[in-house]
Each structure stands twice: as C-alpha cells, then as structure tokens.
Amino acid sequence: MWVRKRIEIAPRELLRAFWYCLASGNRTKAIESIARRWPRDRAVVCLSVRSGFDLLLHSSGWPRDSEIIMSGLTIPDMPRIVEENGFQPVGVDVELETLAPNLDAIVDAITPRTRAIVVAHLLGGLCDLTPVIELAQRHRIVVIEDCAQAWTGKCYEGDPRADVSM
C-alpha cells in the first residue's frame, strides 16, 4: 500500500482538537448541535462507526450467510462485525491511486447472496461513489459508506445517494 503522504489538516485544527480533548463539554449544547446537523428522522447517534455498523447489521433482517462486499483494506473490526452477525465479508481490492474499491472486483464478487457493499473512504481521501451506487442500484444492493477516515477540511456528511453513511 502506498500512503499518499499528504496531510490536509492545519496546525490550528490540530490544536483545536487537542483543546476539545482537554476541555469538559456541555452535554446539552452537544446534543443540540447534533440535532441541528442531522435531523432525527435521518440519523441515529452511535458511539462509533463500528457500533453503528453492528446495529445496522443486527437489525437488517438479512438471512444468515448473506454476503457483504467490503473494501479489502479496512480495519480488522469491520469484517469481524460482519462475521459476528452471521454474514460473510467479501473483500475486494482497492485502486492504488485512489484507494477506492476496484469496480471490476465488485462486479465479480456480486452473487445472489450479496446484500450490501461497504465503501470505506481511506486515509483522508474521498472515493467517487457514483459507479458503485449505479451498480448497486441495478442489483438492488444496499450501499454503506464508511466515512470514519474521510477528511475534507469540514464535516463530511456522506453522499446523499448512499443508503447509509456512517
């Protein structure tokens, strides 16, 4: 894997993040801020992407041994969560230039048991989801976007065409 060797975070933003780690927050203000950014009818607040992903899979109603296509480059907990929910993770290679999942590999991985495609934005980059979403719509497959590593200089709220953005 080739790291892109670009850090797109300013020193000021790092200092602010450090300050937030030390300063005690106002819980009420935090809840109000979350409610303004993500209306209740569109969001579920979870401890982390992993806990939200587990909740999503647990409540999916998909049959056991359903397949979840995932970026082959991800944290080990994500496929483990898939397995713990009785599903099969199916890893696909990523493009070295963009770290986006290889579309041909996704096409080859789709079977009648495929229920979802998880695309992880890796190492601060953003993948173009257009080809994945178009493919998934043709096959009636759910697109789950893992934005935990996405960095755009502002809060990235996910692609509105994705079924789920975490």
Side-chain angles (χ1 to χ4, degrees), residues 14-82:
L14 286 173
L15 287 173
R16 185 188 320 166
F18 180 69
W19 170 252
Y20 284 139
C21 289
L22 296 177
S24 62
N26 181 319
R27 186 173 195 273
T28 303
K29 281 186 177 180
I31 291 170
E32 290 170 356
S33 174
I34 290 168
R36 278 191 308 275
R37 182 173 292 274
W38 295 288
R40 290 178 190 228
D41 63 333
R42 292 185 37 217
V44 175
V45 177
C46 298
L47 178 64
S48 64
V49 166
R50 289 172 292 202
S51 61
F53 187 51
D54 184 49
L55 177 64
L56 171 69
L57 295 181
H58 186 74
S59 63
S60 69
W62 295 329
R64 290 188 74 70
D65 292 328
S66 290
E67 296 173 347
I68 312 294
I69 296 173
M70 310 179 75
S71 302
L73 180 60
T74 189
I75 62 168
D77 286 339
M78 295 299 277
R80 182 184 53 77
I81 291 167
V82 170

Side-chain angles (χ1 to χ4, degrees), residues 1-4 73 93-102:
M1 179 179 101
W2 295 95
V3 177
R4 288 179 263 173
L73 180 60
D93 289 335
V94 296
E95 300 289 344
L96 290 179
E97 301 81 29
T98 63
L99 296 179
N102 179 287

